[in-house]
Amino acid sequence: MSEHLLEVRGLRTWFETPKGTVKAVDGVDLTLNRGEILGLVGESGSGKSITGFSLLGLVDPPGKVVEGDIRFQGEDLRAASARRQRALRGNRIAMIFQDPMMTLNPVLRIGTQMIETVQAHEKVSKSEARRRARDALGMVGIPHPEERIDAYPHEFSGGMRQRVAIAIALLHKPDLIIADEPTTALDVTIQSQILSEVQSLTRDLGMGLIWISHDLGVVGQLANKVAVMYAGRIVERGAVDDVLDRPRHPYTRGLLDSLPMENDRGQPLRQIPGNAPPPLNRPEGCPFRPRCARASEACLAEPAETGTAARAWRCFHPLEQTGVFA
Amino acid sequence: MTVFILRRVLQAILVLAITSLVVFLGVYAIGDPLEILLPADASMAERAQVTASLHLDDPLALQYWNFIVQALQGNFGRSFVFNRPALEVIFERLPATLELVTTSLILSLIIGIPLGFLAGTRPRTVTDETIMTGSILGFSLPNFWQGMMLIMIFSVWLGWLPSTGRGDTGTILGVRTSYATWDGFVHLLLPATNLALAQIALVIRLTRTGVQETMPLDFVKYARARGISERRILSVHVFKTILIPIVTVLGIEFGSLIAFAVVTETIFAWPGVGKLIIDSINMLDRPIVVAYILVIVSMFIVINLVVDVLYSLLDPRIRSRAS
């Protein structure tokens, strides 16, 4: 039996608040193999970041993974001890956050934060840890790593800081990287540089990468597979070209339509009508129903996933298989 | 950095000049020192002689001018009461106060920071509630009452610690200090604790707030995501971040403690400057009062400078802005 790098089944992460239960992640399935890049796409509040934190066991209270199975190289992560989880974090599973200005500690040198990351997982001398940190900085294209390693986070530009974050993620040559909107704060030229570097690193090192983003354009450029999240669920998933060219779920179609395109220059951008449902008061049945032009009586029930292991959607009225651009 | 320090020195001189004028006028307005210095049945001739010897008959402007000229040469006048140079009297008493204040600040840090961490990392637990209730007591019970209770418990009932005076002092590295002898050390304990209680409460609150504000920050989550141990996150990442507000507040407090150790020094008959200044105000001993206030103002200036330098050591972002 072939073992996946990461296999998530029925993940539910809920937040108990005084006003009720927020079901941030409500039954998510993911599969990822080595060398694959999975784009996890959705609007703000769709639960995509919480999904990433859930995989690492880093959901802050009152949030809690209440149900589901997370298997990393066959190991049940939910059953793992806190000690074992810490040993995996930053070592076998690394995470890159959205804004490295906020995530690197401003009062500690880059080198200090890299060395502590090395030494958290391996018994190596400080000079050896420093050498590895310096090499990692060089690998992600930071000029003069020997000098820059002693700089503080605020002495780097946004793009350079994000490279530092990627260098830190690569320190232990992890099997899986979870990147949460890592290029959102960057300008477009820097973004595409970083994207192509990440792509080649993933391929060369044989890692798995989960790229969390709200930007279908970036995901289309980078990923092999895509999963579209809406209101805590994955509503459509499949190979990236297939999903982007032939979306079956009306929500995916809406997302694609709202991307600015060359040929509708000057036209108002199309948007999905309405807003994402409030997390405490989701509509019954299909959560996209109130915003969907195709909704019917049937949508009052919850749509199950239809399709195959490689390509699936949750919709009673899927779009026909015609291309978006046809 | 040099420009920064030069500017601070100029500011300091201006502050000192203004303070000296205000204090000089203020003390002049309080009353006539002759009423207190001379016996009630002194003759007119004696009165005139003392007035002339203390230059009290000069116009106010001339008195102030003479004072400034002398002060610039390091002479702050002779104490009316002790008949010795005012600065000499103050500097004789200052080490006792500095020792008391430093000890209580150190106590407040080594007790306050760990308790603050305990409370901050366990919000709304019994530990947190207990520590916070204790700190409310430290804040709100009057200092003099705490002092009397300490004497009552540790000196009167238990008989463990002496209640008054400084005890024997010895010399360590040329400094006379109570730490050199056991007797001096036990004499120091009660007054230092008394002075420290409110500070401990303050440090606990600052630390707890700092920890609670820092823990939800992204860099803590990121440190966890890198697999850094909780112990290192608290002792390096969080600790270094919350030191900045603690240093600020303690810098201000250090000056206030020196200036206002009066109550504690009075209760425990501690021979420091606080007690001296109260006595001098009562006796209208102008040179001492004026010199004392100028010394204290200078200290505040130095402490503020030290705090600013410490800031830049603690926060690299300030360092690069200054350069």
Side-chain angles (χ1 to χ4, degrees):
Chain A
M1 180 191 124
S2 73
E3 194 165 79
H4 298 294
L5 176 62
L6 178 75
E7 197 169 5
V8 178
R9 289 285 162 261
L11 178 69
R12 282 177 214 278
T13 306
W14 292 359
F15 289 71
E16 294 295 340
T17 71
K19 289 179 186 160
T21 305
V22 175
K23 299 177 177 175
V25 178
D26 200 19
V28 159
D29 302 335
L30 293 172
T31 313
L32 188 71
N33 296 310
R34 283 184 173 278
E36 272 184 347
I37 301 178
L38 167 70
L40 190 57
V41 182
E43 289 169 293
S44 308
S46 60
K48 55 195 195 304
S49 294
I50 300 296
T51 304
F53 287 129
S54 303
L55 300 182
L56 280 174
L58 280 179
V59 181
D60 288 323
K64 204 169 171 256
V65 177
V66 290
E67 217 181 285
D69 194 29
I70 306 171
R71 287 194 184 270
F72 173 69
Q73 296 183 319
E75 180 177 355
D76 182 355
L77 287 191
R78 278 193 69 205
S81 65
R83 192 192 179 84
R84 173 69 185 150
Q85 287 193 15
R86 187 176 75 71
L88 286 172
R89 282 202 292 266
N91 184 8
R92 303 326 319 149
I93 309 175
M95 185 146 185
I96 303 172
F97 286 62
Q98 178 167 0
D99 183 358
M101 187 69 219
M102 308 297 292
T103 51
L104 289 164
N105 189 333
V107 302
L108 297 176
R109 291 173 202 279
I110 296 292
T112 311
Q113 303 189 48
M114 295 186 81
I115 289 166
E116 72 178 2
T117 312
V118 175
Q119 289 187 322
H121 300 291
E122 276 177 58
K123 290 228 176 303
V124 293
S125 70
K126 203 164 177 178
S127 58
E128 166 66 12
R130 190 187 155 88
R131 196 187 57 69
R132 289 202 5 208
R134 190 197 59 206
D135 292 350
L137 287 178
M139 190 154 94
V140 295
I142 288 180
H144 314 297
E146 185 60 52
E147 294 156 35
R148 300 300 275 158
I149 194 171
D150 288 322
Y152 287 93
H154 71 276
E155 295 170 315
F156 288 84
S157 68
M160 284 296 154
R161 265 198 299 267
Q162 198 54 275
R163 281 163 198 264
V164 171
I166 293 171
I168 291 176
L170 292 175
L171 278 173
H172 292 282
K173 303 215 167 26
D175 302 300
L176 172 65
I177 295 185
I178 300 167
D180 186 5
E181 307 232 14
T183 57
T184 307
L186 304 180
D187 50 59
V188 183
T189 45
I190 310 281
Q191 175 172 312
S192 57
Q193 277 178 25
I194 288 186
L195 289 184
S196 73
E197 269 165 46
V198 164
Q199 211 166 19
S200 53
L201 283 169
T202 313
R203 195 175 45 232
D204 298 348
L205 301 176
M207 301 180 302
L209 174 64
I210 297 179
W211 190 272
I212 299 172
S213 178
H214 63 269
D215 189 339
L216 266 179
V218 167
V219 168
Q221 200 183 331
L222 178 76
N224 316 106
K225 299 200 295 191
V226 63
V228 180
M229 267 190 98
Y230 188 79
R233 303 231 163 131
I234 289 176
V235 292
E236 177 159 17
R237 61 186 172 78
V240 72
D241 296 338
D242 205 19
V243 173
L244 299 194
D245 292 347
R246 285 172 294 279
R248 303 303 301 272
H249 198 284
Y251 176 65
T252 315
R253 177 70 192 249
L255 281 183
L256 283 166
D257 282 348
S258 64
L259 287 177
M261 292 291 169
E262 277 291 324
N263 51 3
D264 357 293
R265 193 180 295 271
Q267 298 297 309
L269 292 173
R270 269 172 286 180
Q271 19 177 324
I272 304 175
N275 290 308
L280 275 171
N281 189 20
R282 288 204 178 129
E284 254 178 76
C286 173
F288 189 60
R289 176 171 53 86
R291 304 170 74 182
C292 185
R294 307 170 72 88
S296 71
E297 287 286 304
C299 303
L300 285 169
E302 210 159 286
E305 205 175 64
T306 40
T308 64
R311 180 80 175 93
W313 52 87
R314 281 176 191 271
C315 185
F316 291 116
H317 309 292
L319 296 151
E320 298 72 34
Q321 286 201 317
T322 51
V324 174
F325 307 112
Chain B
M1 197 67 183
T2 324
V3 178
F4 169 73
I5 290 179
L6 258 178
R7 202 164 54 212
R8 292 297 291 263
V9 170
L10 287 177
Q11 282 171 0
I13 291 170
L14 189 68
V15 169
L16 281 175
I18 295 172
T19 321
S20 71
L21 182 61
V22 170
V23 172
F24 201 85
L25 292 178
V27 175
Y28 193 86
I30 293 175
D32 188 353
L34 291 183
E35 302 296 334
I36 290 164
L37 289 175
L38 288 175
D41 55 351
S43 71
M44 286 309 278
E46 285 172 314
R47 211 172 170 73
Q49 190 216 338
V50 174
T51 308
S53 76
L54 295 177
H55 299 288
L56 292 175
D57 46 356
D58 291 344
L60 179 59
L62 183 63
Q63 283 191 37
Y64 180 65
W65 174 252
N66 285 335
F67 163 75
I68 289 292
V69 170
Q70 291 295 312
L72 286 177
Q73 297 164 29
N75 179 6
F76 285 83
R78 299 177 79 83
S79 159
F80 297 162
V81 176
F82 298 93
N83 196 24
R84 286 164 51 205
L87 271 191
E88 190 184 297
V89 176
I90 291 169
F91 281 126
E92 192 180 80
R93 301 284 205 102
L94 199 54
T97 298
L98 284 181
E99 184 175 79
L100 185 62
V101 169
T102 320
T103 309
S104 71
L105 271 189
I106 292 171
L107 272 180
S108 68
L109 288 178
I110 58 178
I111 297 174
I113 290 181
L115 287 180
F117 261 96
L118 263 179
T121 49
R122 295 164 182 72
R124 286 181 294 278
T125 59
V126 178
T127 320
D128 179 35
E129 302 285 345
T130 312
I131 292 172
M132 292 322 284
T133 311
S135 88
I136 290 172
L137 293 183
F139 258 124
S140 49
L141 293 178
N143 199 242
F144 73 87
W145 186 84
Q146 292 175 354
M148 292 186 317
M149 287 303 115
L150 285 174
I151 292 179
M152 182 85 127
I153 296 168
F154 292 101
S155 304
V156 179
W157 290 348
L158 298 172
W160 288 351
L161 296 167
S163 64
T164 56
R166 196 180 176 195
D168 293 339
T169 55
T171 310
I172 298 176
L173 299 171
V175 181
R176 272 169 57 80
T177 166
S178 302
Y179 284 107
T181 66
W182 177 248
D183 183 55
F185 181 68
V186 293
H187 274 87
L188 182 60
L189 277 178
L190 277 189
T193 308
N194 179 222
L195 201 55
L197 281 174
Q199 305 305 309
I200 293 174
L202 181 68
V203 173
I204 287 178
R205 288 186 166 254
L206 279 174
T207 310
R208 175 179 183 267
T209 311
V211 168
Q212 288 191 332
E213 281 172 2
T214 310
M215 291 305 277
L217 292 184
D218 277 351
F219 71 73
V220 172
K221 198 165 198 176
Y222 183 50
R224 288 198 182 120
R226 287 185 284 134
I228 308 298
S229 66
E230 207 62 16
R231 188 195 175 90
R232 184 172 165 93
I233 290 175
L234 286 178
S235 65
V236 177
H237 288 259
V238 176
F239 183 64
K240 240 194 134 175
T241 308
I242 64 170
L243 266 186
I244 295 167
I246 293 180
V247 164
T248 316
V249 174
L250 284 191
I252 299 167
E253 284 294 311
F254 188 65
S256 321
L257 280 181
I258 294 172
F260 307 114
V262 180
V263 175
T264 298
E265 290 186 2
T266 309
I267 297 170
F268 293 92
W270 187 262
V273 278
K275 201 161 166 345
L276 172 72
I277 190 65
I278 289 294
D279 294 344
S280 301
I281 291 172
N282 282 333
M283 302 296 286
L284 292 177
D285 193 345
R286 282 184 204 169
I288 296 268
V289 176
V290 175
Y292 169 80
I293 291 180
L294 291 180
V295 166
I296 294 294
V297 169
S298 313
M299 262 185 180
F300 264 98
I301 291 168
V302 171
I303 291 167
N304 275 326
L305 189 64
V306 170
V307 167
D308 282 345
V309 171
L310 274 180
Y311 266 170
S312 64
L313 287 181
L314 287 172
D315 193 335
R317 287 167 296 185
I318 294 173
R319 220 176 305 159
S320 59
R321 221 173 297 152
S323 63

